[in-house]
Amino acid sequence: DFLILWLSQRISIKVENIQTDKLESIEIEQTPDIGALANRLRCCLQEPDELPGDLAKLIDNTLFKYHTNLIPEVLSLYERLGVKPGPLTLITPKV
């Protein structure tokens, strides 16, 4: 509530009499050097799974197939809505 009131300028804060020598200092947290850590790669303790003899088993063909099972439903929607089935065109905006 205080933050919203202060941001909407309903409350003003006077910060003129602050004694900086009595403020508590916040400890600085050190962040790791990501670049240095990237150069010091460590091996994983988990052993990798063995590859099958036939590498074609690793390919999932269901991810890259054309789904044509919805075409009959789409064509029936065209008929119910009274739209001519055809390629889509770009509608030019009116200026």
Side-chain angles (χ1 to χ4, degrees), residues 18-31:
I18 295 178
Q19 297 176 355
T20 57
D21 57 340
K22 293 184 180 178
L23 290 177
E24 295 181 20
S25 63
I26 300 172
E27 292 183 23
I28 299 173
E29 294 185 27
Q30 298 290 329
T31 57

Side-chain angles (χ1 to χ4, degrees), residues 12-74:
S12 62
I13 301 173
K14 295 182 180 180
V15 289
E16 298 169 0
N17 297 330
I18 295 178
Q19 297 176 355
T20 57
D21 57 340
K22 293 184 180 178
L23 290 177
E24 295 181 20
S25 63
I26 300 172
E27 292 183 23
I28 299 173
E29 294 185 27
Q30 298 290 329
T31 57
D33 184 9
I34 297 173
L37 290 175
N39 290 330
R40 295 186 305 163
L41 293 177
R42 308 271 172 135
C43 64
C44 183
L45 297 177
Q46 179 181 359
E47 293 185 19
D49 298 332
E50 291 187 26
L51 294 176
D54 184 17
L55 293 179
K57 292 181 180 178
L58 295 176
I59 300 172
D60 187 7
N61 289 328
T62 60
L63 296 174
F64 305 106
K65 72 177 184 178
Y66 290 106
H67 299 285
T68 58
N69 54 351
L70 295 177
I71 290 177
E73 185 178 347
V74 170

Side-chain angles (χ1 to χ4, degrees), residues 74-90:
V74 170
L75 291 176
S76 68
L77 284 173
Y78 274 122
E79 290 175 8
R80 287 195 315 190
L81 294 173
V83 177
K84 295 179 184 177
L88 298 175
T89 58
L90 187 64

